[in-house]
Amino acid sequence: MTRPTGQRLPMAQHRHGPGLVRGLVDRDGEVALLLDVIHLTATGPEVEPLAAEVARLITDATATDVCFVHLLDDTENSLTLAGATPPFDQQVGRVHLPLGHGVSGWVAKHRTPVVLPDGKASDPRYVPIPGLRGADFISMASIPMEIDPGGLVGVLNVHTVQRREFTSRDIELLRVIGRLVAGALNQARLHRRLAARERMHEQFVERVIATQEAEHRRMAGDIHDGISQRLISLSYHLDAASHAVGSGEPAEVAAQLTRARDLLGFALDEARSAIGGLRPPVLDDLGLAGGLASLAHSTPQIETEVELAEHRLPEHVEIALYRIAQECLQNIVKHARASSATVRFDVEGGHARLEVTDDGIGFDTSATADSDPAEVRGYGLHSMVERAELVGGRLQITSQPGGGTTVTVEVPSR
């Protein structure tokens, strides 16, 4: 019978006296341990609690002194300590190892266990980590945690204060445990990623709705302050012309009708502008390529070249790309101090690509990325990113001080 996994023996009771220890557990203990691991992985806790329970279970059942569970992070270029037995649980999330760095990094890179019964300080792969007090432990075994087909999830390390000879049977048992917990840890990690993406999606939807509401309020204000006032004034002038007709004043009639005609022209211009805020009429008349060419030619402040493929896209995609190009050209005029720009549009391999380049002063994109969204919005970058994401695309900005700026958007073409 194995000890209940809820009981943790003091470190001193883990020791088996001087000399070698033949194995971690006997056959009955192996079966009980694997059953405990299977039961633990079925509970489905989150990443850190699961990793902590795995570390505790392994040290309790195998009479080792400490256990560390290092997980491959989302970049897949380094390991992060996700679980450890006390007192090292205080280091969770603080220890990061690049792949290939240290024993654990070497194991992760080569997918091969490492056993160091003693002399680990002289091993070229060993890198001391002050927070984990490696000098306190003589022996260690480091095991890759993998899922089929060959996907690495992390590395499992066990350490002992006294020298221990880990047998091939011990290593195989730890590999089996590693495979059992790898699936559960990977599922927990994927669940955390999905939850983070859902939160990002919810925030994105909230921003889109807020942007739409702000746009609706702006349009309502434009219509009220512009078109409505023009029509009210037009009504006054038509009434005045009507009274002038009745009083036999042809000169006044002509003057009032002239003013009314001017107001009607202004109202029509503002109505067209408001409609253009919803969908640029030029897209209906000329398509996206023609609309981009018209947009470029209507920016006289800079010399703009165009390289445009004649290819129609879904209506909402064309509007998004047109608005992004429009925002780019406005930014160039307002901020870039550029003398020339180029607008390119092409479709290839199921993706449409829009690129707007200028020879202006450029800017530090890392500083912009770290800025508050409210500050970024001042340059229109925030709205361009949102427009691209809204149609399933991705926007990338390449720039450096004195080196001009390139804005690239790629979206599905169907």
Side-chain angles (χ1 to χ4, degrees):
M1 295 292 291
T2 58
R3 297 186 306 275
T5 58
Q7 291 182 325
R8 176 74 194 277
L9 293 181
M11 187 174 289
Q13 292 180 260
H14 283 179
R15 301 171 186 171
H16 294 258
L20 305 182
V21 175
R22 291 189 175 183
L24 294 177
V25 289
D26 57 21
R27 286 184 179 274
D28 290 340
E30 287 181 9
V31 173
L33 171 59
L34 293 177
L35 289 174
D36 285 343
V37 171
I38 292 171
H39 175 72
L40 174 62
T41 58
T43 59
E46 296 182 357
V47 174
E48 286 77 13
L50 175 57
E53 283 298 300
V54 168
R56 181 192 60 78
L57 178 64
I58 290 175
T59 52
D60 281 351
T62 62
T64 50
D65 293 313
V66 294
C67 177
F68 301 121
V69 180
H70 300 275
L71 292 186
L72 194 66
D73 63 17
D74 290 343
T75 67
E76 298 191 351
N77 292 320
S78 64
L79 298 168
T80 298
L81 182 64
T85 47
F88 303 104
D89 52 340
Q90 301 298 316
Q91 299 298 320
V92 167
R94 298 180 180 179
V95 176
H96 305 280
L97 294 171
L99 261 61
H101 184 77
V103 174
S104 299
W106 189 95
V107 170
K109 183 175 181 179
H110 296 275
R111 313 287 182 89
T112 303
V114 168
V115 178
L116 299 174
D118 52 27
K120 63 183 178 183
S122 60
D123 191 294
R125 297 167 296 188
Y126 179 73
V127 176
I129 302 172
L132 301 186
R133 303 200 325 247
D136 293 353
F137 305 97
I138 302 299
S139 302
M140 71 171 292
S142 185
I143 311 296
M145 296 189 296
E146 299 176 281
I147 55 175
D148 292 329
L152 180 71
V153 174
V155 174
L156 179 69
N157 290 349
V158 291
H159 299 257
T160 59
V161 172
Q162 293 188 353
R163 188 179 188 280
R164 171 165 297 185
E165 193 75 33
F166 293 95
T167 67
S168 58
R169 184 181 180 86
D170 297 334
I171 301 307
E172 183 58 30
L173 174 62
L174 289 172
R175 294 198 75 158
V176 171
I177 294 173
R179 286 187 176 275
L180 285 175
V181 300
L185 286 168
N186 189 54
Q187 288 297 321
R189 185 174 60 177
L190 292 176
H191 181 270
R192 181 171 64 183
R193 288 181 189 172
L194 180 60
R197 289 180 181 177
E198 287 180 349
R199 287 194 298 271
M200 291 177 61
H201 178 71
E202 290 173 357
Q203 293 170 358
F204 174 68
V205 170
E206 290 174 359
R207 291 198 305 269
V208 169
I209 293 174
T211 301
Q212 290 176 338
E213 290 300 315
E215 184 67 11
H216 291 162
R217 287 193 295 271
R218 183 194 65 79
M219 290 185 61
D222 290 346
I223 292 172
H224 177 271
D225 298 337
I227 299 173
S228 295
Q229 297 303 318
R230 302 284 189 193
L231 293 177
I232 291 171
S233 297
L234 174 61
S235 175
Y236 290 153
H237 286 293
L238 289 177
D239 286 343
S242 176
H243 291 309
V245 168
S247 60
E249 300 178 26
E252 180 64 17
V253 172
Q256 294 295 341
L257 290 177
T258 298
R259 295 190 188 110
R261 187 180 297 109
D262 291 340
L263 287 169
L264 180 59
F266 291 142
L268 286 173
D269 289 341
E270 290 180 350
R272 292 191 184 100
S273 177
I275 293 170
L278 296 172
R279 172 171 171 81
V282 70
L283 295 181
D284 293 324
D285 299 333
L286 304 177
L288 180 58
L292 292 173
S294 175
L295 186 63
H297 297 151
S298 64
T299 311
Q301 298 93 330
I302 55 173
E303 181 181 344
T304 306
E305 296 183 1
V306 294
E307 300 174 15
L308 307 170
E310 291 286 347
H311 194 106
R312 296 308 302 259
L313 300 173
E315 179 178 318
H316 65 289
V317 177
E318 289 192 343
I319 294 174
L321 292 180
Y322 180 88
R323 293 301 186 199
I324 290 172
Q326 187 177 45
E327 191 71 50
C328 285
L329 292 175
Q330 289 175 357
N331 281 342
I332 293 171
V333 172
K334 292 178 182 178
H335 308 293
R337 303 179 198 168
S339 60
S340 64
T342 302
V343 179
R344 299 182 179 90
F345 169 69
D346 198 6
V347 177
E348 185 177 354
H351 284 81
R353 178 185 175 92
L354 171 70
E355 182 181 278
V356 182
T357 304
D358 69 70
D359 62 355
I361 60 174
F363 61 96
D364 185 355
T365 56
S366 63
T368 304
D370 295 335
S371 298
D372 182 79
E375 297 175 11
V376 175
R377 193 179 297 116
Y379 288 92
L381 304 183
H382 190 69
S383 64
M384 289 194 295
V385 170
E386 287 190 340
R387 285 187 188 276
E389 291 177 348
L390 196 59
V391 294
R394 183 174 64 90
L395 184 141
Q396 182 178 3
I397 301 172
T398 305
S399 185
Q400 59 182 5
T405 301
T406 298
V407 177
T408 305
V409 188
E410 288 191 0
V411 299
S413 59
R414 54 183 179 273

